[in-house]
Amino acid sequence: MFNKSNKLPLSGKTSLVTGASGVIGEAITETLANLGSDLILTDFSMDKLNLLKEKINAFNIKIILLQADLEKIQSRQLLIDSLIDKQIKLDILVNNAAFTGDSHLTGWIGKLNEQSVETWSRALEVNLTSVFHLIKGLEFNFNNDVNHPASIINMASIYGFKAPVWSLYEGLKEMGNPAAYAVSKAGLIQLTKWLAVTLGPGIRVNSISPGGLYRGQSDVFINRYENKVPLMRMATVDDVCGAITYLASDLSKYVTGQNITVDGGFTL
């Protein structure tokens, strides 16, 4: 349980968040800040990171911004080297950066013959390989404490273990369910399990698989989706951040290797 003092649950902790300036990343960042964690934020755009920092400057925490293009191995290595050089110790890592189902990429959404091998490779590089690279490179930067283990949280998806429901997208050309997205998230769930038994007991590794997140989709899609969900609504970033709070804190200190499904019952 959270302590009964006035101390915030993550006070004195340091969290690294990738893809921090995206919709989910921003919500995760604000959640961790609200819990008292110092933050290291990385994303492709430094301008967006600076805007995010302005929003969370009111929290009494330390904030470091680091630009990185996680699709490029050299950029990832520079990020790793920077954190090592700064001798920063990590308590929490949220691997949030990813190409998602609604990313605007050529050869991404569409029928099988419309999806390109080049975009497949790019998606696996960002969604899966970059996670492996960062954790491998930063393994010895984690505060490895058996009594209060560090926490790695990988953002996966229900489509990492569930086949797509094509009727949801019928007639909606701007939407789809790319093969590379599903495969990369499936790999991330298995990587989570592999890392959990490899990095324990001082580091916990779990993943979160959200269901469909509300992003202002068309009414047609929303109605189709919600009719398949027992809780009769799409997920929100607040739903995801509830799981982040649990996995980042000592509330889950005996939880590792798990994939937490946050989908309102969609996959039942």
Side-chain angles (χ1 to χ4, degrees):
M1 299 295 291
F2 288 148
N3 62 61
K4 296 180 181 179
S5 69
N6 292 326
K7 188 177 179 181
L8 293 170
L10 298 183
S11 180
K13 306 287 188 181
T14 299
S15 302
L16 170 61
V17 182
T18 70
S21 65
V23 175
I24 299 177
E26 185 172 315
I28 291 170
T29 295
E30 292 182 5
T31 296
L32 294 171
N34 194 48
L35 293 170
S37 178
D38 294 331
L39 295 171
I40 303 165
L41 307 177
T42 184
D43 212 322
F44 183 81
S45 169
M46 201 65 187
D47 289 339
K48 289 183 179 179
L49 285 175
N50 281 317
L51 289 173
L52 175 57
K53 185 178 180 181
E54 289 179 13
K55 291 185 65 174
I56 59 176
N57 266 335
F59 295 98
N60 187 27
I61 58 172
K62 298 175 183 176
I63 304 169
I64 296 175
L65 306 180
L66 295 172
Q67 189 277 338
D69 181 354
L70 296 185
E71 188 177 347
K72 295 180 171 61
I73 188 170
Q74 298 91 341
S75 185
R76 297 196 301 260
Q77 192 60 53
L78 286 173
L79 173 61
I80 292 166
D81 292 343
S82 177
L83 293 171
I84 292 173
D85 290 344
K86 294 177 189 297
Q87 298 183 327
I88 290 174
K89 285 293 185 179
L90 298 172
D91 300 283
I92 298 150
L93 166 60
V94 183
N95 287 301
N96 170 67
F99 290 138
T100 62
D102 58 359
S103 294
H104 300 290
L105 303 171
T106 301
W108 182 234
I109 292 174
K111 297 178 181 178
L112 177 58
N113 64 357
E114 296 171 334
Q115 297 181 36
S116 74
V117 173
E118 291 78 13
T119 301
W120 163 285
S121 297
R122 291 183 64 193
L124 265 66
E125 190 70 28
V126 174
N127 295 12
L128 184 56
T129 303
S130 73
V131 175
F132 171 78
H133 189 182
L134 288 182
I135 295 173
K136 174 181 178 294
L138 296 172
E139 177 182 358
F140 300 109
N141 280 66
F142 284 94
N143 280 315
N144 196 312
D145 183 345
V146 174
N147 295 316
H148 300 281
S151 177
I152 296 174
I153 305 169
N154 296 323
M155 292 303 300
S157 167
I158 57 171
Y159 291 116
F161 60 89
K162 175 179 171 53
V165 181
W166 293 121
S167 60
L168 290 173
Y169 310 104
E170 192 173 323
L172 304 175
K173 292 183 178 179
E174 74 281 7
M175 301 186 69
N177 196 309
Y181 177 78
V183 170
S184 64
K185 295 302 185 179
L188 190 57
I189 292 170
Q190 184 59 27
L191 178 62
T192 296
K193 296 177 184 294
W194 189 93
L195 289 168
V197 300
T198 302
L199 298 179
I203 303 173
R204 301 184 294 111
V205 189
N206 295 284
S207 59
I208 298 173
S209 284
L213 280 163
Y214 175 76
R215 296 172 183 261
Q217 296 95 332
S218 70
D219 289 342
V220 172
F221 178 83
I222 293 171
N223 290 334
R224 287 174 180 173
Y225 193 92
E226 291 182 343
N227 283 332
K228 296 182 181 295
V229 180
L231 295 186
M232 293 298 293
R233 66 174 177 85
M234 298 191 73
T236 67
V237 290
D238 287 342
D239 296 320
V240 174
C241 288
I244 289 286
T245 299
Y246 173 65
L247 291 176
S249 70
D250 277 353
L251 288 173
S252 60
K253 66 181 179 180
Y254 196 56
V255 177
T256 194
Q258 302 305 304
N259 179 52
I260 308 297
T261 305
V262 183
D263 70 347
F266 179 81
T267 56
L268 293 176

